[in-house]
Amino acid sequence: MAALLEHESQVFLDLFHQDGLVICARGLGIDRLLLRFLRLYCEPASLVLVLNTSPPEEEYFIDQLRSDGVVHLPRRVTNEVTNNTRYEFYTQGGVIFATSRILVVDFLTDRIPADLITGILVYKAHRIIESCQEAFILRLYRQKNKQGFIKAFTDNAVAFNTGFCHVERVMRNLFVKKLYLWPRFHIAVNSFLEKHKPEVVEIHVSMTPAMLAIQTSILDILNACLRELKRYNPVLEVEDLSLENAIGKPFDKTIRHYLDPLWHQLGAKTKSLVQDLKTLRTLLLYLTQYDCVTFLNLLESLKASEKAFGENSGWLFLDSSTSMFVNARARVYRIADEKLHQKGKDSEKSGVKKENELKRELVLESNPKWEALREVLKEIENENKNSEDFGGPGQVLICASDDRACAQLREYIIAGAEAFLTRLYNKTFGKDEKAAEVWIQDRKAVKSKGNAKPDGGPEAKKAKLTASSKQCKPKKQQDRTIIQMIGKTEEEKREKVEKEDSKELSSTQESSIEETVHEDFHVNLPSDCYYGIFKNPLTIIHPLQGCSDPYALTRVLHEVEPRYVVLYDAELTFVRQLEIYKASRPGKPLRVYFLIYGGSTEEQRYLTALRKEKEAFEKLIRERASMVIPEEREGRDETNFDLIRDANPASAVPDTRKAGGQEQKSVQQTIIVDMREFRSELPSLIHRRGIDIEPVTLEVGDYILTPDTCVERKSISDLIGSLNNGRLYAQCVSMSRYYKRPVLLIEFDPNKPFSLIPRGSLCQEISSNDITSKLTLLTLHFPKLRILWCPSPHATAELFEELKQNHPQPDAETAMAVTADSEILPESDKYNPGPQDFLLKMPGVNAKNCRALMNHVKSIAELVTLSKDELHKILGNAANATQLFDFIHLTYGEAVSKEKNKG
């Protein structure tokens, strides 16, 4: 493990001596800090729990500690560790990663020795809100253990920018008093990183006139949509919905934050505008990130879907939209006739007829960043030739935004811009292959006169292979080989690319394999997301996002140890990571090429992210200065009110009507909760109200409130799903059979509207597709079933407490014994559920008279022998008795003739 840097050591010592919440700037190595604490506690003498980590992150931390020679590595608690061995597992000590659900259950059932826990480390602490599972674990821990530490880490300062006193509420849930802020502009961080700056070459690439025109058009349309959105919804007149924020990544979350609670009240126009904003943001991204063919394909597909589905997006009729389509098409092709008018004089004699027959002639504008990348690679190649002073050629790491961009860059470097764009065009707009052929012939003719630039640069040229030899042409440096994706077969490659929704890339190899044969080579790198270009010196392309392993790029960076890093796309976190990487390897050269479109939305997006983080830290610094923290915040004594489990406020006045207000003997309330319910926040809120929770595995119901009351909890999505697949019907059958009071609880998300269906969409007739119709049928079928509607989990917890008042406590053993296959009813051993269900289906038998009939008749066989008068006596109703008697005794022939007579 690399030694901690100056500022990291200071953070580590501060946090080690006093518990607190550390908020770092993105990319400044919060994972390195957590890793140091893990290393410190990786010993059997301590027991430390780590919360809020995902399996890939856990894998990364364990790998890092293993490579550092740590003997007692962290362990994971999963479902495979059985309940009876769990206590022993914990008492072996060391660092333990466990899911929140398992830890909550283990704390409640005392399977974990709470008094032996040394402390808890909380990762991604900005997510710790009051009702989440992690906050529940910390509360249970503090109630049972007053000595252990709690240390929390996060690098998402912007998350604390929302809501009132967000950071203070998170600290309250974490039971910490101290807040440590480490922005990039912190004097210790800034002065240290200034001493170890990498060499940075910023290349501001100019967009082509067509790209600039398209960008302007999209921004105009975005602005128009935002104005329209605010006009329809005056409540949205907020700073957050500005054009600058609209081009940033978090904009979707922002708009959802404002509109989700009102979504059921919004008109179709507003919803359409929200969808349009999403589409336009995607177009902006495609413009700078991918090639002209991919962009045009997306644009044409939008227009085609608008025609096909009649989805009338207003922006398609704006002047800016027309301009955008014209420019997008001009980047890919132009109408041949126009060219003939303009260049009539110098048109080739041989080609005139052919071009007249064609509708389109290809232009295929190359991406300006590709040219800049080619120049950078050329410069690196020249430097590597004279690199004896540095101990040989330096390795190169190229970083692009996602998998699709990486695959495109790789093909550009190997095949050249013309070949790549032509193949892409033929695949996307396949009808115009003829146009492509003529375009290639035309280019060859121009090239032979020496009027055109060589395409694709030295790398691309050398990468082309002759069909006859089927062998790689040697480059100037004999040992450099052009490769396909490192260590992968063609089949694996195609699967991977398809997975990333890059349909056009899957045929890259299919079309070029006939002419080219690349030698695969294996490099033992810890990530499988990369694309290899050259073997010696190693040159690879790696995506910045979209890998299953969040640390894939970090692993590759430290494994490859590149001397040159080319940032094809700007990403704030990785830029900072490079600064830390350089500072941790003093004396070793690192040059970073920063490619960015000057005056583009890409540049603005990067600058906005920087500004937002800076503003978030400035706000946190102000909040920390004015924060009032109570002495008992850490919960190390009994004075912390957050640890008191009581829903009644201190000001509550005793009810004097109960025996003169004297104190009543209170019984400890208990609710039996199904294990699977611990994924939701409701158990945490129930426990907070002073009710004990018994976690067991229930087959019938989710919550048992009393011996008679069973509750099945459904969120809206779960309700719709279980109504569609029939699961809810089966659950209601079981609940109605075994409990006197079966309850269906429909729980809404507090951030969403408290409305099952949008206003005005209530059906007049019962329909098989309508959710309200299905609920109506459910209540008709199960008369005993009660439906509870709750706007939030907080309301549910309060309702449960009220429903339990003056009722006996449920028994866990009895609840667990009830299964869907139980033959005997718990409430009475007299009746067999199978024949009882059969009886209820018979005409004349209903829920009211069913019990009387079963009391008088032992079996269905005996029922058949009864006369009409006897049935009348038992059922107490002549009509019902006649119905039942006729149903049993009427033959098929008699029934048919009876129907005919009626007709």
Side-chain angles (χ1 to χ4, degrees):
M1 187 187 293
L4 289 181
L5 305 177
E6 272 179 30
H7 65 277
E8 290 174 335
S9 300
Q10 196 177 327
V11 183
F12 175 79
L13 289 170
D14 287 349
L15 192 57
F16 178 73
H17 290 304
Q18 188 171 4
D19 292 359
L21 166 63
V22 172
I23 305 177
C24 262
R26 277 197 182 282
L28 276 192
I30 199 80
D31 50 321
R32 287 160 59 94
L33 189 61
L34 178 61
L35 208 52
R36 184 48 59 121
F37 274 103
L38 294 180
R39 187 185 177 190
L40 182 67
Y41 295 113
C42 272
E43 54 184 26
S46 56
L47 172 58
V48 173
L49 305 176
V50 185
L51 300 185
N52 239 357
T53 49
S54 63
E57 286 165 344
E58 291 163 13
E59 196 63 54
Y60 171 73
F61 291 133
I62 292 169
D63 284 351
Q64 292 295 310
L65 291 166
R66 187 183 289 119
S67 64
D68 199 35
V70 172
V71 180
H72 204 270
L73 288 169
R75 292 167 301 140
R76 292 176 180 174
V77 180
T78 60
N79 294 333
E80 292 166 17
V81 183
T82 55
N83 293 347
N84 47 2
T85 59
R86 204 79 63 75
Y87 188 87
E88 289 170 34
F89 188 90
Y90 289 123
T91 49
Q92 287 166 16
V95 173
I96 287 176
F97 294 114
T99 63
S100 303
R101 191 168 69 92
I102 288 175
L103 279 180
V104 166
V105 172
D106 285 355
F107 267 110
L108 288 170
T109 53
D110 287 325
R111 278 194 210 118
I112 188 165
D115 53 322
L116 299 180
I117 297 173
T118 315
I120 294 183
L121 300 171
V122 186
Y123 199 45
K124 291 180 281 208
H126 57 276
R127 296 182 182 172
I128 308 296
I129 57 166
E130 185 192 1
S131 56
C132 76
Q133 294 288 39
E134 289 74 23
F136 188 18
I137 291 166
L138 292 168
R139 199 165 71 243
L140 290 169
Y141 164 67
R142 263 293 170 251
Q143 282 166 356
K144 298 179 179 189
N145 183 329
K146 305 291 181 189
Q147 304 307 315
F149 65 74
I150 296 174
K151 302 182 193 298
F153 312 81
T154 182
D155 62 354
N156 191 346
V158 181
F160 294 100
N161 226 353
T162 55
F164 178 68
C165 292
H166 192 155
V167 71
E168 200 170 338
R169 281 183 286 135
V170 168
M171 287 171 69
R172 184 177 167 180
N173 296 330
L174 288 166
F175 298 99
V176 295
K177 284 201 291 191
K178 205 84 175 134
L179 177 62
Y180 302 102
L181 299 175
W182 287 86
R184 173 63 180 81
F185 56 81
H186 190 292
I187 191 159
V189 179
N190 201 33
S191 60
F192 177 74
L193 292 179
E194 282 297 310
K195 289 182 211 165
H196 303 278
K197 274 201 302 189
E199 183 189 346
V200 180
V201 180
E202 275 194 42
I203 301 170
H204 286 265
V205 183
S206 299
M207 296 170 89
T208 62
M211 285 174 79
L212 274 171
I214 292 168
Q215 180 178 278
T216 308
S217 301
I218 297 175
L219 289 175
D220 285 348
I221 300 166
L222 258 176
N223 213 4
C225 285
L226 281 171
R227 278 203 311 272
E228 196 82 347
L229 190 66
K230 289 175 182 176
R231 189 165 70 83
Y232 280 101
N233 305 278
V235 72
L236 293 180
E237 277 295 340
V238 284
E239 290 173 24
D240 291 349
L241 300 185
S242 64
L243 187 59
E244 184 191 359
N245 289 334
I247 60 177
K249 281 180 188 169
F251 185 70
D252 287 336
K253 279 185 186 172
T254 308
I255 207 157
R256 274 208 308 271
H257 171 74
Y258 285 109
L259 292 181
D260 265 355
L262 323 163
W263 194 254
H264 65 304
Q265 297 170 2
L266 299 177
K269 184 71 181 168
T270 303
K271 291 179 181 178
S272 169
L273 282 168
V274 171
Q275 188 56 42
D276 290 345
L277 285 171
K278 198 173 179 181
T279 306
L280 290 164
R281 282 158 42 77
T282 308
L283 281 171
L284 263 183
L285 207 65
Y286 269 53
L287 179 65
T288 53
Q289 217 154 288
Y290 306 125
D291 58 275
C292 57
V293 179
T294 307
F295 180 79
L296 181 64
N297 185 32
L298 175 64
L299 210 51
E300 295 287 13
S301 68
L302 287 174
K303 197 159 196 176
S305 66
E306 192 255 345
K307 281 179 185 170
F309 301 110
E311 290 171 1
N312 188 356
S313 294
W315 64 268
L316 282 167
F317 302 106
L318 296 174
D319 292 342
S320 300
S321 172
T322 312
S323 156
M324 175 168 61
F325 272 94
V326 168
N327 282 299
R329 286 170 183 152
R331 292 176 70 202
V332 179
Y333 60 79
R334 67 184 114 192
I335 305 303
D337 296 344
E338 289 175 11
K339 190 191 171 199
L340 289 174
H341 289 312
Q342 291 163 12
K343 298 192 174 183
K345 311 167 207 168
D346 22 38
S347 58
E348 303 287 330
K349 291 168 193 170
S350 58
V352 170
K353 282 179 190 173
K354 266 189 186 175
E355 286 177 8
N356 274 330
E357 288 163 18
L358 292 168
K359 288 183 183 174
R360 297 174 180 177
E361 183 190 314
L362 298 188
V363 177
L364 297 180
E365 178 183 275
S366 179
N367 195 327
K369 260 198 194 178
W370 291 355
E371 303 297 325
L373 179 64
R374 186 192 59 156
E375 294 299 324
V376 165
L377 290 176
K378 197 173 177 183
E379 184 182 315
I380 291 171
E381 186 184 23
N382 291 335
E383 283 202 12
N384 274 337
K385 285 177 189 170
N386 314 309
S387 57
E388 286 75 27
D389 300 349
F390 300 114
Q395 321 236 52
V396 184
L397 174 63
I398 303 167
C399 293
S401 59
D402 57 18
D403 200 69
R404 188 183 205 169
C406 292
Q408 287 200 353
L409 284 182
R410 180 179 174 279
E411 191 174 351
Y412 160 70
I413 292 168
I414 288 176
E418 286 181 17
F420 169 50
L421 289 172
T422 309
R423 183 198 63 74
L424 205 53
Y425 182 86
N426 288 343
K427 177 156 177 51
T428 314
F429 306 99
K431 296 168 191 171
D432 303 298
E433 282 175 30
K434 214 171 167 191
E437 286 166 26
V438 173
W439 179 71
I440 290 166
Q441 286 170 13
D442 185 43
R443 295 286 288 175
K444 281 179 185 169
V446 176
K447 269 188 193 175
S448 62
K449 294 177 184 173
N451 296 336
K453 280 188 209 166
D455 95 294
E459 275 81 10
K461 273 212 265 183
K462 292 164 197 166
K464 301 221 177 109
L465 308 168
T466 54
S468 56
S469 66
K470 302 265 177 186
Q471 291 267 327
C472 282
K473 253 191 203 170
K475 299 163 103 28
K476 284 176 190 168
Q477 281 176 287
Q478 290 292 328
D479 57 351
R480 184 181 285 188
T481 316
I482 287 148
I483 58 158
Q484 294 207 321
M485 193 185 296
I486 297 175
K488 295 208 170 167
T489 61
E490 287 301 326
E491 292 75 40
E492 284 173 315
K493 262 183 286 179
R494 284 184 205 131
E495 280 170 26
K496 175 171 176 46
V497 173
E498 280 165 19
K499 205 189 293 171
E500 293 294 336
D501 193 26
S502 314
K503 288 182 275 179
E504 69 276 10
L505 295 170
S506 59
S507 67
T508 306
Q509 287 81 11
E510 289 167 28
S511 57
S512 61
I513 275 292
E514 292 159 21
E515 309 142 24
T516 68
V517 173
H518 295 304
E519 293 174 21
D520 278 355
F521 64 83
H522 296 266
V523 176
N524 185 21
L525 285 185
S527 163
D528 58 356
C529 299
Y530 57 84
Y531 292 75
I533 310 296
F534 311 123
K535 185 175 183 179
N536 196 2
L538 183 65
T539 303
I540 61 171
I541 308 178
H542 199 289
L544 289 160
Q545 291 147 353
C547 298
S548 54
D549 177 6
Y551 292 100
L553 192 51
T554 312
R555 290 173 188 261
V556 168
L557 184 66
H558 288 280
E559 186 79 24
V560 174
E561 294 196 336
R563 188 183 303 159
Y564 305 100
V565 176
V566 184
L567 284 174
Y568 185 82
D569 289 301
E571 213 257 334
L572 181 61
T573 308
F574 188 60
V575 171
R576 299 254 179 80
Q577 221 172 314
L578 286 172
E579 287 187 294
I580 297 292
Y581 167 72
K582 172 70 178 83
S584 61
R585 299 162 71 251
K588 292 189 181 177
L590 173 68
R591 181 183 298 167
V592 180
Y593 290 93
F594 203 85
L595 303 184
I596 200 155
Y597 283 117
S600 69
T601 52
E602 179 193 32
E603 184 180 37
Q604 186 57 52
R605 206 178 294 126
Y606 181 76
L607 294 173
T608 303
L610 263 176
R611 179 179 60 77
K612 280 192 177 297
E613 189 186 75
K614 185 170 177 285
E615 284 173 0
F617 269 113
E618 285 169 350
K619 183 184 175 188
L620 285 169
I621 290 164
R622 288 195 301 273
E623 274 191 34
R624 184 173 67 174
S626 59
M627 206 183 282
V628 178
I629 296 172
E631 194 58 42
E632 66 278 359
R633 167 61 57 81
E634 291 189 346
R636 294 185 188 274
D637 48 37
E638 297 301 330
T639 53
N640 188 323
F641 293 119
D642 291 322
L643 294 176
I644 297 169
R645 292 173 55 207
D646 187 11
N648 297 327
S651 57
V653 180
D655 185 358
T656 54
R657 294 178 68 187
K658 288 182 183 172
Q662 70 186 35
E663 208 169 305
Q664 302 291 311
K665 224 181 179 185
S666 62
V667 178
Q668 178 54 49
Q669 300 283 332
T670 306
I671 291 180
I672 296 164
V673 182
D674 183 35
M675 290 281 195
R676 286 155 293 209
E677 277 299 300
F678 284 93
R679 291 189 184 93
S680 74
E681 52 194 86
L682 183 56
S684 162
L685 298 170
I686 294 170
H687 186 267
R688 188 73 183 264
R689 298 188 77 85
I691 300 170
D692 279 352
I693 288 174
E694 265 193 78
V696 296
T697 304
L698 296 175
E699 277 201 39
V700 176
D702 291 329
Y703 297 85
I704 310 296
L705 305 187
T706 71
D708 296 336
T709 312
C710 171
V711 179
E712 180 68 39
R713 187 189 72 91
K714 295 285 179 195
S715 62
I716 299 303
S717 56
D718 192 17
L719 175 73
I720 294 165
S722 53
L723 277 171
N724 288 339
N725 62 23
R727 195 172 81 246
L728 185 57
Y729 178 85
Q731 288 168 333
C732 289
V733 166
S734 301
M735 286 199 298
S736 304
R737 180 170 293 162
Y738 300 114
Y739 291 95
K740 283 182 184 172
R741 284 193 207 80
V743 176
L744 172 63
L745 166 73
I746 300 172
E747 192 177 84
F748 288 76
D749 184 335
N751 300 319
K752 299 279 175 73
F754 185 37
S755 164
L756 193 60
I757 53 170
R759 193 171 53 184
S761 61
L762 195 64
C763 293
Q764 295 297 314
E765 297 294 325
I766 282 187
S767 150
S768 61
N769 300 324
D770 183 39
I771 185 170
T772 49
S773 299
K774 288 179 180 176
L775 275 176
T776 308
L777 290 170
L778 195 73
T779 51
L780 287 171
H781 204 89
F782 299 101
K784 283 203 297 182
L785 184 71
R786 299 287 173 263
I787 297 181
L788 298 179
W789 304 81
C790 286
S792 72
H794 290 81
T796 308
E798 192 176 340
L799 192 61
F800 277 8
E801 191 176 19
E802 288 172 13
L803 287 171
K804 280 187 65 60
Q805 280 176 8
N806 306 321
H807 284 285
Q809 303 311 310
D811 177 50
E813 292 296 321
T814 313
M816 284 170 73
V818 175
T819 66
D821 303 324
S822 299
E823 285 298 314
I824 306 300
L825 293 179
E827 61 183 49
S828 166
D829 294 345
K830 277 163 90 174
Y831 310 122
N832 196 336
Q836 185 180 342
D837 286 348
F838 181 78
L839 195 63
L840 278 164
K841 297 282 189 292
M842 289 185 170
V845 181
N846 53 42
K848 291 176 183 174
N849 58 27
C850 179
R851 190 57 57 89
L853 192 61
M854 287 191 295
N855 284 338
H856 285 85
V857 183
K858 286 180 182 175
S859 65
I860 300 283
E862 190 182 330
L863 175 67
V864 175
T865 63
L866 297 179
S867 67
K868 195 184 287 190
D869 292 338
E870 285 172 319
L871 284 174
H872 183 191
K873 273 182 195 173
I874 295 167
L875 297 177
N877 183 303
N880 285 344
T882 308
Q883 258 188 315
L884 182 59
F885 185 82
D886 288 353
F887 172 72
I888 294 169
H889 296 286
L890 209 64
T891 64
Y892 177 70
E894 288 171 348
V896 170
S897 60
K898 205 174 183 182
E899 280 298 312
K900 280 180 183 171
N901 294 337
K902 272 187 188 175

